[in-house]
């Protein structure tokens, strides 16, 4: 079985500053990795995903993430955040033989002026 | 092309009543997934269905919960005799068969409140 750990429950950051949201996973098999964003009272929107190939993945809204197999990490980064990036961010993992996603508990990104 | 449609958006039920949550997948998507999000927690997988088939229900509580995805019409998540602990946001997602492992599209959720 796989699991996902998002160590930071909340990350406060000033507008235009860089941000990194951490995600570590554990799995005994190869995984697919995802980041989703949830705005208040809305569903989840896919930001980006790693399936195979280049370990640096670019997503929507200027976000990117890097898959690090040796450290079993998939941290999300953005060089300059905007107020509108304030939301809950979820890291998720699935394996090649299962369609269900295992989610982390989420990181609340709070961007202020 | 409409996204994944869930209704109602908000549902209030008294303890002991039944709750029915509906999910219409995106056009062309034949796989449906239900997840539950308890307050301050991440999403937990409940069930994975294809048309007229339950593929994986390993996350469904053993009692009171059931799900179906008929040949025609939306997928239904049914909760019988609701209790306060069932209060949560329930999200549906869908995917086409060829990309079931590659992430899917979520609806906006149904927020169930049991009073």
């Amino acid at each position: 079985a796989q699991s996902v750990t998002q160590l930071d429950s909340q990350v406060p950051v000033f507008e235009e500053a860089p941000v990194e949201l951490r995600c570590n996973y554990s799995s005994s098999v190869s995984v697919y990795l995802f980041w989703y964003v949830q705005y208040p009272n809305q569903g989840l929107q896919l930001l980006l995903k790693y399936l195979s190939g280049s370990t640096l993945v670019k997503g929507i809204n200027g976000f990117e993430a890097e898959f690090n197999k040796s450290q079993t990490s998939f941290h999300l980064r953005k060089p300059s955040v905007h107020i509108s990036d304030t939301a809950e961010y979820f890291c998720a993992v699935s394996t090649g033989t299962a369609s269900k996603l295992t989610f982390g508990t989420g990181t609340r990104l709070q961007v202020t002026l | 092309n409409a996204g994944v449609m869930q209704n109602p958006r908000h549902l209030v039920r008294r303890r002991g009543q039944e709750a029915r949550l509906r999910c219409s997948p995106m056009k062309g998507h034949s796989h449906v997934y239900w997840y539950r999000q308890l307050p301050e927690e991440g999403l937990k997988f409940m069930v994975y269905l294809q048309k007229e088939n339950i593929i994986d229900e390993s996350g469904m509580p053993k009692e009171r919960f059931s799900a179906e995805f008929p040949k025609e019409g939306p997928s239904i998540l049914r909760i019988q005799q609701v209790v306060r602990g069932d209060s949560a946001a329930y999200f549906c997602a869908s995917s086409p068969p060829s990309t079931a492992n590659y992430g899917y599209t979520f609806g906006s959720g149904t927020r169930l409140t049991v009073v």
Side-chain angles (χ1 to χ4, degrees), chain A residues 25-39:
Chain A
Y25 69 92
S26 69
S27 176
S28 57
V29 298
S30 296
V31 295
Y32 301 138
L33 294 155
F34 308 85
W35 275 100
Y36 283 86
V37 60
Q38 184 181 32
Y39 298 102

Side-chain angles (χ1 to χ4, degrees), chain A residues 32 34 36 38-46 49 51 90 94-106, chain B residues 9-10 31 33 35 37 40-45 48 56 58-59 91 100-109 111:
Chain A
Y32 301 138
F34 308 85
Y36 283 86
Q38 184 181 32
Y39 298 102
N41 296 316
Q42 294 188 27
L44 278 73
Q45 181 181 4
L46 181 63
K49 59 187 174 186
L51 304 179
F90 292 97
S94 74
T95 70
T97 57
S99 298
K100 62 184 177 186
L101 294 176
T102 300
F103 283 86
T105 51
Chain B
R9 289 292 304 274
H10 300 275
H31 293 211
Y33 316 81
Y35 285 77
Q37 184 179 31
E40 307 301 322
E41 293 187 20
L43 278 73
K44 303 287 187 192
F45 170 80
Y48 164 31
D56 181 352
S58 58
F91 290 96
N101 289 329
Y102 305 154
Y104 25 74
T105 303
F106 281 88
S108 297
R111 281 150 184 86

